[in-house]
Amino acid sequence: MKNFKIAEPKSIEQVSGLLSKGGEKVSLMAGGTDMLSEIKEGVAEPDLVVDLSAMKELPFIRKNRDGMHIGAMTTLADLASDPAIRSDYPGLYEAALSVGTPQLRNVGTVGGNLCQRPRCWYYRDAKFLCRKKGGSQCFATRGRNKYHAIFGGGICHIVYPSDLAPMLIALDAKVVVVAPGGEKVLPLSEFYTLPSKNVRRENILNPNEFLREIRIPPPKKGERSTYMKLKERGTWDFALVSAAVKATAGGNSFNDVKIVLGGVAPIPWRLEKVEQGVMKKKLSESMIKETAGAALQEARPMEENRYKVALVEALLVRSLLSIA
Amino acid sequence: MKEHEIVDDLNLAYLEEARGKKAQGKDVPAEAGEDFKLIGQPTARIDGRLIVTGRAKFTNDLTLMNMLHAKILRSPFASAEIVSMDLSQAQNLPGVKAVIKLKEGRVKYEGEQVAAVAAISEKTAEEALQLIKVDYKILPHVVRPEKAVEEGAPQIHDSANVEKFNEYSRGDVDKGFAEAEVVLERTYKTAVEIHQTAETHASIAKLDEDRLTVWDSTQAAFSVRDGLARTLGIPTSKVRVIKTYMGGGFGSKLGLNEHTVVAARLAKETGRPVKIVLNRRENSLCVGNRPSTSITIKGGAKKDGTLVCLSMKNYTCGGVGRGDRCSEPLIDIYKCPNVKVEEYTVYTNTGASRPTRAPGHVQGTFALEGFLDELADELGLDPLELRRKNYSSANQGETGIPYSSKGLNKCYELGAAKIGWERRNKKPGEGGGKIRRGLGVASQIWWGAGVPGTLADIKIHRDGSVEVICGTQDIGCGTRTYIATIAAETLGLKPEDIAVKIGDTVYPWAPSSGGSQTTPSVAPAVRDAALKAAERLKQLVSTTLNIPASRIVLAGKKLFDKENPDVSVTFQDAAKELRREAVFHGERSDLPAGFAYNSFGAHFAEVEVDTETGQIRVAKVVAVHDVGRVINRLTAESQVVGGITQGVSTALFEERLIDDNTGQMVNPNLQGYKISTSMDIPEIVPIFVDLIDPRINNLGTKGLGEPPRIPISAAVANAVYNAIGIHLREIPMTPDKVLKALQGKEANS
């Protein structure tokens, strides 16, 4: 582990100032549950760690007329125990509760969860100089790839492990990004980027920008949502595959449905083909399987992760039928 | 059931006899124990509060004056030649006190030690490691046993990569197969398991003149002492090893470790105490593992289920080490006249295997018990009935010497009733639905008779306070507590009245804590010492009270006349009669020859398998064990819970994964190497059959360390088989494997 300096800014302006200094490698620390393990493993070697825990203005959950506003430093435990979240966005409640363990949720934050680094045991171990760390190969392609991506991989097969991200994208959430020139508001679905665009990072944030807030539109009439996560063990496990679904019911079918998967790709992975296939139709297990089957033709599994395709199919059936 | 009741009755008959003898005042080897007030009851750990409040000192908690911290540089490569090594930069770093080379020439696995540093802080030592320049020439490696056996594979040692290390035969298997009406051949595989101790390895070495003192997180203080003396070329009399509290070993701390020698060498080099603590990565790479196995069993039986022959071939891979002998359960536990065993080790460029809680028996039982279930299905028999049909009362499958006691039938009976065995699928996989339920059983045999010659002293002070002194170590199982309990029981005191002094080689000798031998070694020695102390006190009090010593009873902190309890003296007053501090030497006696001493058990598991996601949930485990007399029911039950937790974990999750291309481990941490969490632990029902062995020792007790770890993975796999109709024949049974097997079944049907 390399030595680093630590700063504890009290305001947004101070954070922006620290990020814009230039010259040194700066890492933002929210809950730190992910970042500290990267530092300990020698994967991240920041010169300066900016600890956001003293930022009094960043933890908040506010219900406004235009929807829910959630501050980046809100803990996952607070998110999961908020009554308005639970009643308006049941899927988000489920997603928050599915993260890690109670200890991790007490410390981990919404912003940290959305900006955490990806999962891949080659990336997470300093001894493997992989493409994501500036090397020239993806070790997973011909190596041990049981937990790796079946969609969107190509040059790098990391998976994005956030439980909140797929659900928030399904809920049409927006993120507020603080940039030197002011704030930007953009859909969370445009926040994440594939390795083919820039293999070194997972989102659009520039080094001098940071995520401040999440906004979720108010639920429509008849809106339901669910988040289902398949893990190997009972708790403290990242998703093998997860499915976030939001739908608006009309009669005995969905007028509108959004499906985003976690654990299968370097970014939260939307299944628009399945959405189109199941919309405005009477849902049944066989119909969902058939639709999923066609969409899953696009999966590109490797030697050890083919089973994820079957998991996606099972999850689609279960999640869609659970809110039908 | 009647026809199979053979040896279990031995014990019952013995108990009747013993009770009779006792009534006549005759001495018997193991007491029936109906008078015991503490032994056999649940007793809370005497050190429980210290441990849970963080006051118990573990090796890593100790700091000595002027102490240095050591770190070891390890090979990042699975196979390489060290061309050159430059220590100078590391030596010149301020705060570094010594840098030593540990290796020249070829390194054969990732994590092999190369050099070491002692510095004023862990951080400085870590920095110094980065400054050691090693020039490696990378050599071809092989990490997968299937590849290591191929022609032209890189050779690990001077010998071939495949070596036969064990064979056994009795009867004539060819004749057996000719007689068999049903023959089945199946291959079972187990993955490499890492000893994930809560406390990683730690040692502190201190040299005073020519005397070496080592504090070590070890299961084997005396063996570490002897090993250090041998390795460093100093007399055993000048080495002392102290073990304080410990957070698990499971075999990875059974004996001297390389890093402990490094600490001693650095202490000598610097003249200062040196501490070394391994991290989780080192724990994963270089202090041992349970070797993988690929075991093929071919067996034949009559249509009624009578086993006529069993042959077994084991290919075990222990990296640069030897792997495990896995044939004992197959050779021993079931009645079978014709048996043939061949065991081979396969070498690879990975860290050496080491004993891991029931080495060989876990893997051998997984294969044997899985095979029996598949055979039962082939024969159309109840798997439990097949096991009972081939029940044996003598070892070596009824061809050897009789078991001193064997309560396995009782285990079957109690376990089947408790789990509701009749609820199983009569035909594996016959239940419908997406979530399938199944029940499975597996039997267990182990040793655990204890080691004759184990010593323990009881010291009674003139103020009536009592110490038990024994060099044994408490590796987390509750040794301190039962030592106090036995002494208290025998002397009529309370466990908290006894000061227990253990974990130091200056105390009387006791064996390593491995092989389930601590309790059956130490408990009888303590009992022996306590009986001698009690006898002496009775003699003294007999004079004072003017009654025969045989009428005196020690209970309630008093010595009194059992015919007239009012005639009494307090324990404290009786102790004064000793006139000086008195020491009573106890020894664990010899094992009577002509008998086999083994523990037995049966686990019954209930599982749910999600056929769409491949997830397995173990819902319930009923674990019934024959371990002779239970000394402390609370810690005994904890032992069973721990064994099952580990076994469920390896059945479902645990596997060391190595990247074939680089030869490096991809999950040397608790993120990628998954162990069971509290949410994965099933409802566990521990049951003891309480059959007291008539001759094993003066308490009739057998060891329990390993037994609950042995049959559980097999029972879970058999329950999965019962649920889905496919035996996976491989652990861990992760969702990918379950789904693949189910898809294979679908494709075949």
Side-chain angles (χ1 to χ4, degrees), chain B residues 309-323:
Chain B
C309 53
L310 285 168
S311 80
M312 165 180 171
K313 231 179 215 181
N314 172 25
Y315 287 89
T316 177
C317 177
V320 298
R322 203 211 58 184

PDB file of all heavy atoms in Angstrom, chain B residues 309-323:
ATOM      1  N   CYS B 309     -17.132 -56.717  -3.817  1.00  0.00           N
ATOM      2  CA  CYS B 309     -15.798 -56.200  -4.133  1.00  0.00           C
ATOM      3  C   CYS B 309     -15.832 -54.688  -4.336  1.00  0.00           C
ATOM      4  O   CYS B 309     -16.835 -54.109  -4.744  1.00  0.00           O
ATOM      5  CB  CYS B 309     -15.241 -56.861  -5.394  1.00  0.00           C
ATOM      6  SG  CYS B 309     -16.344 -56.758  -6.772  1.00  0.00           S
ATOM      7  N   LEU B 310     -14.706 -54.065  -4.002  1.00  0.00           N
ATOM      8  CA  LEU B 310     -14.545 -52.633  -4.192  1.00  0.00           C
ATOM      9  C   LEU B 310     -13.127 -52.387  -4.679  1.00  0.00           C
ATOM     10  O   LEU B 310     -12.162 -52.874  -4.075  1.00  0.00           O
ATOM     11  CB  LEU B 310     -14.733 -51.884  -2.867  1.00  0.00           C
ATOM     12  CG  LEU B 310     -16.153 -51.724  -2.316  1.00  0.00           C
ATOM     13  CD1 LEU B 310     -16.095 -51.221  -0.873  1.00  0.00           C
ATOM     14  CD2 LEU B 310     -16.978 -50.780  -3.184  1.00  0.00           C
ATOM     15  N   SER B 311     -13.001 -51.661  -5.769  1.00  0.00           N
ATOM     16  CA  SER B 311     -11.646 -51.249  -6.152  1.00  0.00           C
ATOM     17  C   SER B 311     -11.649 -49.740  -6.315  1.00  0.00           C
ATOM     18  O   SER B 311     -12.662 -49.147  -6.683  1.00  0.00           O
ATOM     19  CB  SER B 311     -11.203 -51.952  -7.435  1.00  0.00           C
ATOM     20  OG  SER B 311     -11.756 -51.310  -8.553  1.00  0.00           O
ATOM     21  N   MET B 312     -10.524 -49.153  -6.001  1.00  0.00           N
ATOM     22  CA  MET B 312     -10.460 -47.693  -5.978  1.00  0.00           C
ATOM     23  C   MET B 312      -9.134 -47.217  -6.529  1.00  0.00           C
ATOM     24  O   MET B 312      -8.085 -47.777  -6.231  1.00  0.00           O
ATOM     25  CB  MET B 312     -10.603 -47.238  -4.527  1.00  0.00           C
ATOM     26  CG  MET B 312     -10.206 -45.805  -4.301  1.00  0.00           C
ATOM     27  SD  MET B 312     -10.406 -45.385  -2.545  1.00  0.00           S
ATOM     28  CE  MET B 312      -9.626 -43.800  -2.526  1.00  0.00           C
ATOM     29  N   LYS B 313      -9.223 -46.196  -7.361  1.00  0.00           N
ATOM     30  CA  LYS B 313      -8.017 -45.543  -7.856  1.00  0.00           C
ATOM     31  C   LYS B 313      -8.135 -44.065  -7.528  1.00  0.00           C
ATOM     32  O   LYS B 313      -9.122 -43.436  -7.895  1.00  0.00           O
ATOM     33  CB  LYS B 313      -7.927 -45.721  -9.369  1.00  0.00           C
ATOM     34  CG  LYS B 313      -6.593 -46.258  -9.816  1.00  0.00           C
ATOM     35  CD  LYS B 313      -6.558 -46.441 -11.306  1.00  0.00           C
ATOM     36  CE  LYS B 313      -5.725 -47.671 -11.645  1.00  0.00           C
ATOM     37  NZ  LYS B 313      -5.606 -47.919 -13.056  1.00  0.00           N
ATOM     38  N   ASN B 314      -7.141 -43.552  -6.827  1.00  0.00           N
ATOM     39  CA  ASN B 314      -7.179 -42.144  -6.433  1.00  0.00           C
ATOM     40  C   ASN B 314      -6.038 -41.388  -7.095  1.00  0.00           C
ATOM     41  O   ASN B 314      -4.886 -41.811  -7.000  1.00  0.00           O
ATOM     42  CB  ASN B 314      -7.062 -42.056  -4.903  1.00  0.00           C
ATOM     43  CG  ASN B 314      -6.891 -40.628  -4.402  1.00  0.00           C
ATOM     44  OD1 ASN B 314      -7.292 -39.669  -5.057  1.00  0.00           O
ATOM     45  ND2 ASN B 314      -6.288 -40.477  -3.230  1.00  0.00           N
ATOM     46  N   TYR B 315      -6.380 -40.326  -7.789  1.00  0.00           N
ATOM     47  CA  TYR B 315      -5.346 -39.394  -8.268  1.00  0.00           C
ATOM     48  C   TYR B 315      -5.512 -38.122  -7.451  1.00  0.00           C
ATOM     49  O   TYR B 315      -6.499 -37.409  -7.597  1.00  0.00           O
ATOM     50  CB  TYR B 315      -5.499 -39.109  -9.767  1.00  0.00           C
ATOM     51  CG  TYR B 315      -5.091 -40.277 -10.621  1.00  0.00           C
ATOM     52  CD1 TYR B 315      -6.013 -41.265 -10.974  1.00  0.00           C
ATOM     53  CD2 TYR B 315      -3.768 -40.429 -11.037  1.00  0.00           C
ATOM     54  CE1 TYR B 315      -5.636 -42.366 -11.726  1.00  0.00           C
ATOM     55  CE2 TYR B 315      -3.379 -41.529 -11.799  1.00  0.00           C
ATOM     56  CZ  TYR B 315      -4.323 -42.485 -12.133  1.00  0.00           C
ATOM     57  OH  TYR B 315      -3.931 -43.567 -12.873  1.00  0.00           O
ATOM     58  N   THR B 316      -4.570 -37.871  -6.568  1.00  0.00           N
ATOM     59  CA  THR B 316      -4.685 -36.710  -5.687  1.00  0.00           C
ATOM     60  C   THR B 316      -3.605 -35.708  -6.053  1.00  0.00           C
ATOM     61  O   THR B 316      -2.482 -36.100  -6.385  1.00  0.00           O
ATOM     62  CB  THR B 316      -4.584 -37.123  -4.201  1.00  0.00           C
ATOM     63  OG1 THR B 316      -4.628 -35.956  -3.379  1.00  0.00           O
ATOM     64  CG2 THR B 316      -3.301 -37.876  -3.899  1.00  0.00           C
ATOM     65  N   CYS B 317      -3.970 -34.440  -6.027  1.00  0.00           N
ATOM     66  CA  CYS B 317      -2.994 -33.420  -6.404  1.00  0.00           C
ATOM     67  C   CYS B 317      -2.751 -32.469  -5.249  1.00  0.00           C
ATOM     68  O   CYS B 317      -3.628 -31.705  -4.859  1.00  0.00           O
ATOM     69  CB  CYS B 317      -3.478 -32.653  -7.632  1.00  0.00           C
ATOM     70  SG  CYS B 317      -2.338 -31.332  -8.061  1.00  0.00           S
ATOM     71  N   GLY B 318      -1.543 -32.548  -4.719  1.00  0.00           N
ATOM     72  CA  GLY B 318      -1.159 -31.681  -3.615  1.00  0.00           C
ATOM     73  C   GLY B 318      -0.089 -30.689  -4.042  1.00  0.00           C
ATOM     74  O   GLY B 318       0.781 -30.334  -3.249  1.00  0.00           O
ATOM     75  N   GLY B 319      -0.158 -30.244  -5.290  1.00  0.00           N
ATOM     76  CA  GLY B 319       0.817 -29.268  -5.785  1.00  0.00           C
ATOM     77  C   GLY B 319       2.218 -29.853  -5.748  1.00  0.00           C
ATOM     78  O   GLY B 319       2.456 -30.938  -6.268  1.00  0.00           O
ATOM     79  N   VAL B 320       3.158 -29.141  -5.100  1.00  0.00           N
ATOM     80  CA  VAL B 320       4.505 -29.683  -4.967  1.00  0.00           C
ATOM     81  C   VAL B 320       4.555 -30.678  -3.800  1.00  0.00           C
ATOM     82  O   VAL B 320       5.578 -31.308  -3.550  1.00  0.00           O
ATOM     83  CB  VAL B 320       5.557 -28.564  -4.754  1.00  0.00           C
ATOM     84  CG1 VAL B 320       5.590 -27.634  -5.954  1.00  0.00           C
ATOM     85  CG2 VAL B 320       5.280 -27.780  -3.479  1.00  0.00           C
ATOM     86  N   GLY B 321       3.446 -30.823  -3.074  1.00  0.00           N
ATOM     87  CA  GLY B 321       3.367 -31.779  -1.968  1.00  0.00           C
ATOM     88  C   GLY B 321       2.714 -33.082  -2.406  1.00  0.00           C
ATOM     89  O   GLY B 321       2.416 -33.272  -3.587  1.00  0.00           O
ATOM     90  N   ARG B 322       2.466 -33.966  -1.431  1.00  0.00           N
ATOM     91  CA  ARG B 322       2.120 -35.321  -1.800  1.00  0.00           C
ATOM     92  C   ARG B 322       0.637 -35.625  -1.978  1.00  0.00           C
ATOM     93  O   ARG B 322       0.257 -36.644  -2.527  1.00  0.00           O
ATOM     94  CB  ARG B 322       2.717 -36.303  -0.793  1.00  0.00           C
ATOM     95  CG  ARG B 322       2.886 -37.676  -1.358  1.00  0.00           C
ATOM     96  CD  ARG B 322       2.731 -38.754  -0.303  1.00  0.00           C
ATOM     97  NE  ARG B 322       1.421 -38.674   0.351  1.00  0.00           N
ATOM     98  CZ  ARG B 322       1.057 -39.436   1.348  1.00  0.00           C
ATOM     99  NH1 ARG B 322       1.916 -40.293   1.844  1.00  0.00           N
ATOM    100  NH2 ARG B 322      -0.146 -39.312   1.905  1.00  0.00           N
ATOM    101  N   GLY B 323      -0.229 -34.791  -1.536  1.00  0.00           N
ATOM    102  CA  GLY B 323      -1.647 -35.135  -1.639  1.00  0.00           C
ATOM    103  C   GLY B 323      -2.075 -36.034  -0.492  1.00  0.00           C
ATOM    104  O   GLY B 323      -1.305 -36.286   0.427  1.00  0.00           O
TER     105      GLY B 323
END
